[in-house]
Amino acid sequence: MSEKVAPGPVGGNACFREAVCIHTNKVYDSCKSKECIRDLRVYLTAESQAFINNSGVNVKPRAAELLFVNIDVEKVPYNRGFYTIDVRFFYRLTVEASTTIGCPRLLIGLAVFDKRCILVGSEGGARIFSSKFVQDAPDYQRMQSANKPTAVVEAVEPILLEAKIVEPTYCCGCGCEISSVPAPICQCFGGEDIALNCDGNRLFVTLGQFSILRLERDIQLLMPAFDICMPERDCSCTGAGGEEAEDPCDVFDRFEFPIDEFFPPRREPRCCDSCGCGCGNNGCNNSDNAAGGCGSGSGGGRCKCK
């Protein structure tokens, strides 16, 4: 069994200078999610809702924006070390609506999607206190926090796949009905009222959402340190009472010409996308052409893609 390393300088032939004790967040468990959310109800602004109440309105998807994610972590009963993560996604959706006459117009609304998963977060019995300063609060020590893991959600912008208008009697059965909207979310709609209680036509969409969920805990780890981290690049201010600033044209001369901006690159074809004479490129099997190029060899001279 190897000897335990303690914090401090490390002698001998070790490749690092010392072992340092750091405080960081360790990921105990994580999962990734690829959701296709069908029939998600959109609560339109009052003006947009009044427009779709007319007959003969057609809609098509335009854009979707993830506004906020609300996260709640709770212990799983009778299963120590496991936690449920309840996540609520708030979306701002934009669709283009048109009728038989008049110009198309943009409709804006709010959609909410709830998700739950169970991850391992281990257990801890210590009570946590901190003297960390909190902005706009009395300068007291931060009160004791529950020793639960911290849930983190990473998500990219959603993809708006489909939009449709349905009759008031249509019910998706997804349980996405909401009765109130948090004030910060309302501010994202420019102060317009969201029509939560409406008996008119309804807008439903289909979204694609990619996300990663993880549980983290504060932990102390012993890490190797090679040396102090000193920046190598000099960014001293010049030209303001100091040395003469670098000539801007000299700086510009070091820029590479942006060829891709003038001639956007196209997809590189595989050897099998062309006449078949690209044997030997990545993704192709040229074992049949060892006897001499395409069109020859005992194997018939065909270039096979993997």
Side-chain angles (χ1 to χ4, degrees):
M1 182 176 179
S2 60
E3 184 179 355
K4 184 177 180 180
V5 179
V10 176
N13 298 322
C15 61
F16 51 91
R17 174 172 293 186
E18 62 175 331
V20 296
C21 187
I22 65 170
H23 179 225
T24 185
N25 293 329
K26 177 182 177 180
V27 178
Y28 275 72
D29 199 3
S30 63
C31 64
K32 62 181 180 179
S33 175
K34 177 183 178 182
E35 303 275 356
C36 184
I37 312 168
R38 297 181 182 274
D39 284 349
L40 185 66
R41 183 178 176 183
V42 180
Y43 293 88
L44 295 168
T45 60
E47 183 179 355
S48 298
Q49 180 63 48
F51 184 82
I52 70 167
N53 286 338
N54 301 321
S55 59
V57 179
N58 296 316
V59 292
K60 63 180 180 180
R62 285 291 299 269
E65 178 186 0
L66 180 60
L67 298 176
F68 182 71
V69 178
N70 187 59
I71 310 170
D72 183 53
V73 180
E74 295 294 340
K75 287 185 177 181
V76 177
Y78 312 112
N79 204 344
R80 298 182 60 181
F82 286 80
Y83 295 82
T84 60
I85 305 176
D86 291 295
V87 184
R88 168 163 282 193
F89 296 85
F90 292 87
Y91 299 104
R92 184 177 187 267
L93 303 174
T94 304
V95 299
E96 182 180 305
S98 59
T99 59
T100 54
I101 58 174
C103 297
R105 60 178 297 175
L106 296 180
L107 307 181
I108 300 174
L110 169 71
V112 173
F113 171 61
D114 293 327
K115 176 181 178 61
R116 166 176 283 195
C117 69
I118 298 178
L119 296 177
V120 178
S122 190
E123 287 188 310
R127 294 184 296 172
I128 303 172
F129 298 85
S130 173
S131 61
K132 184 178 181 181
F133 175 75
V134 180
Q135 184 72 24
D136 299 327
D139 193 11
Y140 299 140
Q141 283 193 337
R142 192 172 62 180
M143 298 299 294
Q144 171 190 348
S145 61
N147 195 357
K148 292 192 297 187
T150 301
V152 178
V153 177
E154 298 181 13
V156 297
E157 289 292 356
I159 304 172
L160 187 52
L161 302 172
E162 183 186 35
K164 62 182 179 181
I165 294 178
V166 299
E167 297 179 352
T169 56
Y170 181 85
C171 181
C172 64
C174 62
C176 55
E177 291 80 9
I178 57 177
S179 58
S180 62
V181 180
I185 299 297
C186 291
Q187 295 174 3
C188 298
F189 294 86
E192 295 188 58
D193 294 331
I194 305 295
L196 298 179
N197 301 314
C198 181
D199 297 330
N201 293 333
R202 298 179 177 182
L203 175 64
F204 283 82
V205 297
T206 298
L207 287 180
Q209 178 70 71
F210 294 93
S211 61
I212 294 177
L213 289 76
R214 64 176 185 265
L215 279 181
E216 300 177 345
R217 276 190 181 276
D218 289 349
I219 193 172
Q220 296 184 50
L221 293 177
L222 193 62
M223 305 291 292
F226 293 91
D227 207 338
I228 60 173
C229 184
M230 177 64 68
E232 299 293 336
R233 187 168 61 90
D234 187 7
C235 56
S236 302
C237 296
T238 56
E243 300 179 358
E244 183 178 356
E246 188 175 5
D247 186 89
C249 289
D250 292 339
V251 176
F252 182 73
D253 285 342
R254 294 197 293 268
F255 287 12
E256 295 290 338
F257 192 87
I259 298 177
D260 289 346
E261 298 296 325
F262 293 91
F263 307 99
R266 63 184 182 89
R267 181 179 68 91
E268 291 294 334
R270 300 182 304 166
C271 64
C272 299
D273 291 340
S274 59
C275 64
C277 292
C279 304
N281 293 336
N282 291 335
C284 292
N285 184 355
N286 61 353
S287 60
D288 292 340
N289 300 279
C294 292
S296 63
S298 60
R302 293 188 178 182
C303 182
K304 300 179 181 179
C305 288
K306 296 180 180 178

